[in-house]
PDB file of all heavy atoms in Angstrom:
ATOM      1  N   LEU A 282     -38.014 -46.123  58.728  1.00  0.00           N
ATOM      2  CA  LEU A 282     -38.914 -45.581  57.709  1.00  0.00           C
ATOM      3  C   LEU A 282     -39.287 -44.120  57.988  1.00  0.00           C
ATOM      4  O   LEU A 282     -40.018 -43.504  57.216  1.00  0.00           O
ATOM      5  CB  LEU A 282     -40.191 -46.431  57.637  1.00  0.00           C
ATOM      6  CG  LEU A 282     -39.962 -47.881  57.215  1.00  0.00           C
ATOM      7  CD1 LEU A 282     -41.218 -48.717  57.444  1.00  0.00           C
ATOM      8  CD2 LEU A 282     -39.528 -47.955  55.758  1.00  0.00           C
ATOM      9  N   GLU A 283     -38.771 -43.597  59.111  1.00  0.00           N
ATOM     10  CA  GLU A 283     -39.075 -42.224  59.527  1.00  0.00           C
ATOM     11  C   GLU A 283     -40.578 -41.969  59.578  1.00  0.00           C
ATOM     12  O   GLU A 283     -41.068 -40.916  59.186  1.00  0.00           O
ATOM     13  CB  GLU A 283     -38.373 -41.210  58.609  1.00  0.00           C
ATOM     14  CG  GLU A 283     -36.856 -41.321  58.692  1.00  0.00           C
ATOM     15  CD  GLU A 283     -36.128 -40.479  57.641  1.00  0.00           C
ATOM     16  OE1 GLU A 283     -36.664 -39.415  57.287  1.00  0.00           O
ATOM     17  OE2 GLU A 283     -35.050 -40.896  57.202  1.00  0.00           O
ATOM     18  N   ARG A 284     -41.291 -42.960  60.069  1.00  0.00           N
ATOM     19  CA  ARG A 284     -42.733 -42.866  60.164  1.00  0.00           C
ATOM     20  C   ARG A 284     -43.126 -42.053  61.378  1.00  0.00           C
ATOM     21  O   ARG A 284     -42.636 -42.310  62.481  1.00  0.00           O
ATOM     22  CB  ARG A 284     -43.318 -44.282  60.280  1.00  0.00           C
ATOM     23  CG  ARG A 284     -44.844 -44.333  60.370  1.00  0.00           C
ATOM     24  CD  ARG A 284     -45.447 -43.878  59.077  1.00  0.00           C
ATOM     25  NE  ARG A 284     -46.857 -44.189  58.970  1.00  0.00           N
ATOM     26  CZ  ARG A 284     -47.825 -43.254  58.893  1.00  0.00           C
ATOM     27  NH1 ARG A 284     -47.518 -41.968  58.922  1.00  0.00           N
ATOM     28  NH2 ARG A 284     -49.077 -43.617  58.746  1.00  0.00           N
ATOM     29  N   ASP A 285     -43.994 -41.065  61.192  1.00  0.00           N
ATOM     30  CA  ASP A 285     -44.547 -40.318  62.303  1.00  0.00           C
ATOM     31  C   ASP A 285     -45.614 -41.208  62.956  1.00  0.00           C
ATOM     32  O   ASP A 285     -46.721 -41.348  62.450  1.00  0.00           O
ATOM     33  CB  ASP A 285     -45.157 -39.017  61.793  1.00  0.00           C
ATOM     34  CG  ASP A 285     -45.839 -38.221  62.904  1.00  0.00           C
ATOM     35  OD1 ASP A 285     -45.903 -38.726  64.051  1.00  0.00           O
ATOM     36  OD2 ASP A 285     -46.315 -37.113  62.620  1.00  0.00           O
ATOM     37  N   THR A 286     -45.265 -41.805  64.099  1.00  0.00           N
ATOM     38  CA  THR A 286     -46.146 -42.818  64.674  1.00  0.00           C
ATOM     39  C   THR A 286     -47.322 -42.226  65.437  1.00  0.00           C
ATOM     40  O   THR A 286     -48.225 -42.963  65.841  1.00  0.00           O
ATOM     41  CB  THR A 286     -45.372 -43.773  65.599  1.00  0.00           C
ATOM     42  OG1 THR A 286     -44.664 -42.993  66.548  1.00  0.00           O
ATOM     43  CG2 THR A 286     -44.417 -44.641  64.822  1.00  0.00           C
ATOM     44  N   SER A 287     -47.332 -40.896  65.634  1.00  0.00           N
ATOM     45  CA  SER A 287     -48.466 -40.301  66.366  1.00  0.00           C
ATOM     46  C   SER A 287     -49.773 -40.579  65.623  1.00  0.00           C
ATOM     47  O   SER A 287     -50.819 -40.766  66.227  1.00  0.00           O
ATOM     48  CB  SER A 287     -48.256 -38.804  66.554  1.00  0.00           C
ATOM     49  OG  SER A 287     -48.246 -38.157  65.304  1.00  0.00           O
ATOM     50  N   HIS A 288     -49.703 -40.635  64.279  1.00  0.00           N
ATOM     51  CA  HIS A 288     -50.893 -40.957  63.488  1.00  0.00           C
ATOM     52  C   HIS A 288     -51.388 -42.366  63.793  1.00  0.00           C
ATOM     53  O   HIS A 288     -52.584 -42.637  63.787  1.00  0.00           O
ATOM     54  CB  HIS A 288     -50.582 -40.887  61.989  1.00  0.00           C
ATOM     55  CG  HIS A 288     -50.310 -39.501  61.509  1.00  0.00           C
ATOM     56  ND1 HIS A 288     -51.296 -38.571  61.358  1.00  0.00           N
ATOM     57  CD2 HIS A 288     -49.159 -38.890  61.153  1.00  0.00           C
ATOM     58  CE1 HIS A 288     -50.762 -37.441  60.923  1.00  0.00           C
ATOM     59  NE2 HIS A 288     -49.472 -37.609  60.794  1.00  0.00           N
ATOM     60  N   LEU A 289     -50.455 -43.272  64.000  1.00  0.00           N
ATOM     61  CA  LEU A 289     -50.817 -44.676  64.217  1.00  0.00           C
ATOM     62  C   LEU A 289     -51.315 -44.898  65.648  1.00  0.00           C
ATOM     63  O   LEU A 289     -52.193 -45.724  65.882  1.00  0.00           O
ATOM     64  CB  LEU A 289     -49.628 -45.585  63.918  1.00  0.00           C
ATOM     65  CG  LEU A 289     -49.070 -45.482  62.490  1.00  0.00           C
ATOM     66  CD1 LEU A 289     -47.829 -46.346  62.327  1.00  0.00           C
ATOM     67  CD2 LEU A 289     -50.128 -45.890  61.463  1.00  0.00           C
ATOM     68  N   GLU A 290     -50.733 -44.153  66.573  1.00  0.00           N
ATOM     69  CA  GLU A 290     -51.152 -44.311  67.973  1.00  0.00           C
ATOM     70  C   GLU A 290     -52.637 -43.989  68.154  1.00  0.00           C
ATOM     71  O   GLU A 290     -53.290 -44.513  69.044  1.00  0.00           O
ATOM     72  CB  GLU A 290     -50.290 -43.425  68.884  1.00  0.00           C
ATOM     73  CG  GLU A 290     -48.949 -44.084  69.193  1.00  0.00           C
ATOM     74  CD  GLU A 290     -47.836 -43.083  69.448  1.00  0.00           C
ATOM     75  OE1 GLU A 290     -48.130 -41.918  69.789  1.00  0.00           O
ATOM     76  OE2 GLU A 290     -46.657 -43.485  69.286  1.00  0.00           O
ATOM     77  N   ARG A 291     -53.162 -43.127  67.308  1.00  0.00           N
ATOM     78  CA  ARG A 291     -54.580 -42.758  67.410  1.00  0.00           C
ATOM     79  C   ARG A 291     -55.531 -43.829  66.884  1.00  0.00           C
ATOM     80  O   ARG A 291     -56.746 -43.701  67.018  1.00  0.00           O
ATOM     81  CB  ARG A 291     -54.830 -41.475  66.613  1.00  0.00           C
ATOM     82  CG  ARG A 291     -54.301 -40.223  67.291  1.00  0.00           C
ATOM     83  CD  ARG A 291     -54.898 -38.987  66.646  1.00  0.00           C
ATOM     84  NE  ARG A 291     -54.310 -38.733  65.338  1.00  0.00           N
ATOM     85  CZ  ARG A 291     -53.285 -37.904  65.124  1.00  0.00           C
ATOM     86  NH1 ARG A 291     -52.750 -37.253  66.115  1.00  0.00           N
ATOM     87  NH2 ARG A 291     -52.810 -37.726  63.912  1.00  0.00           N
ATOM     88  N   VAL A 292     -54.982 -44.852  66.242  1.00  0.00           N
ATOM     89  CA  VAL A 292     -55.845 -45.857  65.609  1.00  0.00           C
ATOM     90  C   VAL A 292     -56.357 -46.857  66.648  1.00  0.00           C
ATOM     91  O   VAL A 292     -55.817 -47.950  66.824  1.00  0.00           O
ATOM     92  CB  VAL A 292     -55.114 -46.573  64.452  1.00  0.00           C
ATOM     93  CG1 VAL A 292     -56.044 -47.572  63.781  1.00  0.00           C
ATOM     94  CG2 VAL A 292     -54.628 -45.557  63.433  1.00  0.00           C
ATOM     95  N   ILE A 293     -57.362 -46.407  67.396  1.00  0.00           N
ATOM     96  CA  ILE A 293     -58.054 -47.262  68.359  1.00  0.00           C
ATOM     97  C   ILE A 293     -59.550 -47.029  68.187  1.00  0.00           C
ATOM     98  O   ILE A 293     -59.957 -45.948  67.759  1.00  0.00           O
ATOM     99  CB  ILE A 293     -57.612 -46.955  69.813  1.00  0.00           C
ATOM    100  CG1 ILE A 293     -57.568 -45.431  70.044  1.00  0.00           C
ATOM    101  CG2 ILE A 293     -56.250 -47.555  70.123  1.00  0.00           C
ATOM    102  CD1 ILE A 293     -57.372 -45.040  71.482  1.00  0.00           C
ATOM    103  N   PRO A 294     -60.387 -48.038  68.509  1.00  0.00           N
ATOM    104  CA  PRO A 294     -61.827 -47.852  68.330  1.00  0.00           C
ATOM    105  C   PRO A 294     -62.307 -46.683  69.198  1.00  0.00           C
ATOM    106  O   PRO A 294     -61.689 -46.414  70.237  1.00  0.00           O
ATOM    107  CB  PRO A 294     -62.419 -49.169  68.828  1.00  0.00           C
ATOM    108  CG  PRO A 294     -61.277 -50.148  68.809  1.00  0.00           C
ATOM    109  CD  PRO A 294     -60.039 -49.358  69.047  1.00  0.00           C
ATOM    110  N   ALA A 295     -63.423 -45.980  68.823  1.00  0.00           N
ATOM    111  CA  ALA A 295     -64.225 -46.244  67.643  1.00  0.00           C
ATOM    112  C   ALA A 295     -63.787 -45.357  66.482  1.00  0.00           C
ATOM    113  O   ALA A 295     -63.234 -44.281  66.704  1.00  0.00           O
ATOM    114  CB  ALA A 295     -65.686 -45.924  67.992  1.00  0.00           C
TER     115      ALA A 295
END
Side-chain angles (χ1 to χ4, degrees):
L282 297 168
E283 297 171 32
R284 181 67 166 116
D285 176 356
T286 53
S287 64
H288 292 286
L289 301 176
E290 279 151 22
R291 286 195 286 265
V292 182
I293 45 170

